[in-house]
Amino acid sequence: AVTRLERDEHGGVRGVAFTDAAGDEHVALAHNVVLATGGYAAARGPDSLLAEHRPDLLALATTNGRWATGDGVRLAATAGGGTVDLDQVQVHPTAFVRRIDAASASVRVSPPADAADGHRTLCAEILRGVGGVLLDQRGERFGDELDTREAVVARMLARTAELRRADAAADERAVRADEFVLLVGARAANATTHVSLYGHKSLLATFDTLAEVAAWMSVDAATLRATLAAADADRAAHMAPLLDDAPFHVGVVAPALHYTMGGVRIDTAGRVLQGDSDDAVPGLWAIGEVSGGVHGRNRLGGNSLTECVVYGLAAANAIDMSSSSSSSSSSSTATELGAMASDVAARKTRSVTASELAEHNSAESCWVTVHGQVYDLTDFADEHPGGRESILEFAGADGTARFDTVHPKDMLDDFDPIGPIVN
């Protein structure tokens, strides 16, 4: 883990100090340091950036990985880097809050496996895009599901407050006042990958009839039919009818922290800017969600690619790679890193037996086979956007079939295998 930025006598950044797995500190010197540490929507403690700038959001869960703690923003600040829009945090309308079962008499089966520490699995926009509707605990619709995320969330929070004012026992119903049901019909076939993944994780349940959905929600079937009929009439110009579009897929969702538009101030090449000035911090760059100001108040779906790819390329093109450090510290570090790389390479060359694979079947040591290669995913599990349980489910086993339902095979190019699995 990086502990600080190394600076020269002029205030420029010239490397980083970091600790290894054993806790020993090292220094890696470089002419340029690029921050790509992500946002800060996963840290909600008293000293977090959210507590400082958006304390009103601290009670919400997050869809972010556990690394999104704002460390990069704070590192930049130690070198004089400025910040912008730290109060601009996007809340996504739909994150799954319950594992459910169509055979259960109650909505309340259990929270998702990643919920204990406030993390939730995102329910992707595509399920609303193919016609899904959001319903409250009464089985009533309360707005346009395809509005901006900010607008949809505002209506959800307003409906929660309304339900609680009207009913003191609102949070004791099958669906709580702060929970909502996403219902989508057979057109979910246009989002097969998502439905398959969410269904396997018991985040979506499937019902053959609307009456079964109503019974599961503990709402009047006639009310639910009237709700969908009204939705069909409202959306007739751009959506196929939902009322009789069986089977029906349902999930229980709620708003969750999703993206931080604020971050470190940068110029058009990704250089970190000092304070409120247009002067750059020498040797320091920021790309991706750690940077701020690109999106303003609202990030459209998919547009984080602007920060990651566009500014990543801009920074890569602007950084002068022609020179290298000649310091002894840098040379020593290079030697250490070279030895570490050689060690990793050596470890990759061996085969793994099925019995050895089976021994690494826990969160502490998680090996998974994908397309005949064994990968150590112990550290990656906590970073997996789909939640660590999706990885740990296949610890010590073959996860190829599940991998193929969600990912292209070339994604494996980003991971170094331990080696091939042998019988």
Side-chain angles (χ1 to χ4, degrees):
V2 172
T3 56
R4 67 179 183 275
L5 297 175
E6 292 294 310
R7 304 171 67 188
D8 60 25
E9 64 274 18
H10 304 295
V13 174
R14 290 296 177 261
V16 298
F18 65 96
T19 56
D20 59 24
D24 297 324
E25 185 174 86
H26 307 267
V27 172
L29 299 183
H31 285 287
N32 296 279
V33 172
V34 181
L35 298 174
T37 54
Y40 48 92
R44 286 153 293 167
D47 298 325
S48 66
L49 291 173
L50 283 175
E52 182 178 352
H53 297 278
R54 289 301 303 271
D56 57 308
L57 300 180
L58 291 176
L60 294 178
T62 181
T63 64
N64 282 201
R66 291 159 179 81
W67 66 87
T69 58
D71 291 352
V73 177
R74 297 194 184 282
L75 277 173
T78 65
T83 58
V84 61
D85 293 343
L86 292 181
D87 61 331
Q88 299 303 318
V89 178
Q90 185 173 84
V91 179
H92 198 285
T94 54
F96 289 108
V97 296
R98 300 222 172 271
R99 292 169 62 90
I100 55 179
D101 183 352
S104 173
S106 171
V107 173
R108 294 181 175 279
V109 176
S110 67
D114 61 353
D117 54 0
H119 291 261
R120 298 286 188 273
T121 297
L122 178 74
C123 176
E125 232 114 20
I126 191 172
L127 293 187
R128 285 178 282 140
V130 298
V133 294
L134 287 172
L135 308 173
D136 66 14
Q137 63 178 209
R138 299 170 175 171
E140 298 175 352
R141 183 170 176 250
F142 49 91
D144 181 4
E145 292 81 6
L146 299 183
D147 208 336
T148 65
R149 292 172 178 175
E150 183 179 24
V152 175
V153 168
R155 282 195 291 271
M156 295 171 81
L157 297 179
R159 179 52 63 99
T160 293
E162 176 187 334
L163 292 169
R164 285 172 172 166
R165 284 195 301 268
D167 183 0
D171 288 324
E172 299 174 13
R173 307 301 178 197
V175 178
R176 290 167 47 100
D178 58 355
E179 298 174 338
F180 300 86
V181 171
L182 174 74
L183 184 149
V184 63
R187 279 168 295 167
N190 293 319
T192 301
T193 297
H194 293 77
V195 171
S196 174
L197 174 65
Y198 298 153
H200 185 87
K201 297 172 71 172
S202 298
L203 298 173
L204 280 181
T206 302
F207 297 89
D208 293 327
T209 69
L210 201 59
E212 293 174 348
V213 176
W216 177 79
M217 288 182 63
S218 298
V219 300
D220 180 67
T223 298
L224 190 55
R225 287 193 65 84
T227 294
L228 297 194
D232 287 344
D234 181 48
R235 308 186 303 173
H238 60 278
M239 284 286 183
L242 177 60
L243 180 58
D244 297 311
D245 191 34
F248 298 99
H249 308 279
V250 298
V252 183
V253 299
L257 300 170
H258 185 56
Y259 199 85
T260 51
M261 281 78 74
V264 179
R265 290 184 64 238
I266 59 172
D267 66 10
T268 55
R271 299 179 184 88
V272 173
L273 298 177
Q274 299 178 27
D276 295 326
S277 78
D278 292 330
D279 297 325
V281 177
L284 187 60
W285 309 71
I287 60 173
E289 197 175 350
V290 69
S291 64
V294 175
H295 303 291
R297 293 184 57 190
N298 184 50
R299 179 188 73 95
L300 299 178
N303 275 8
S304 57
L305 290 174
T306 304
E307 293 168 328
C308 297
V309 178
V310 175
Y311 280 91
L313 288 171
N317 289 331
I319 293 174
D320 181 6
M321 300 293 290
S322 62
S323 60
S324 61
S325 174
S326 60
S327 74
S328 59
S329 178
S330 175
S331 300
S332 174
T333 300
T335 301
E336 292 181 25
L337 293 178
M340 292 168 61
S342 298
D343 183 51
V344 170
R347 291 201 306 268
K348 291 194 304 180
T349 58
R350 69 183 188 81
S351 299
V352 179
T353 65
S355 59
E356 182 183 9
L357 170 68
E359 294 175 357
H360 297 271
N361 61 355
S362 68
E364 290 70 33
S365 183
C366 176
W367 292 11
V368 180
T369 300
V370 183
H371 287 291
Q373 294 289 327
V374 178
Y375 298 85
D376 183 352
L377 301 180
T378 307
D379 295 333
F380 175 70
D382 281 341
E383 301 178 3
H384 184 230
R388 70 197 299 262
E389 74 279 3
S390 297
I391 300 292
L392 298 180
E393 180 180 354
F394 295 98
D398 193 320
T400 303
R402 175 65 56 76
F403 177 90
D404 285 344
T405 64
V406 182
H407 305 298
K409 187 176 180 181
D410 60 9
M411 182 175 286
L412 293 171
D413 294 342
D414 292 335
F415 298 86
D416 293 324
I418 297 172
I421 185 74
V422 295
N423 294 326

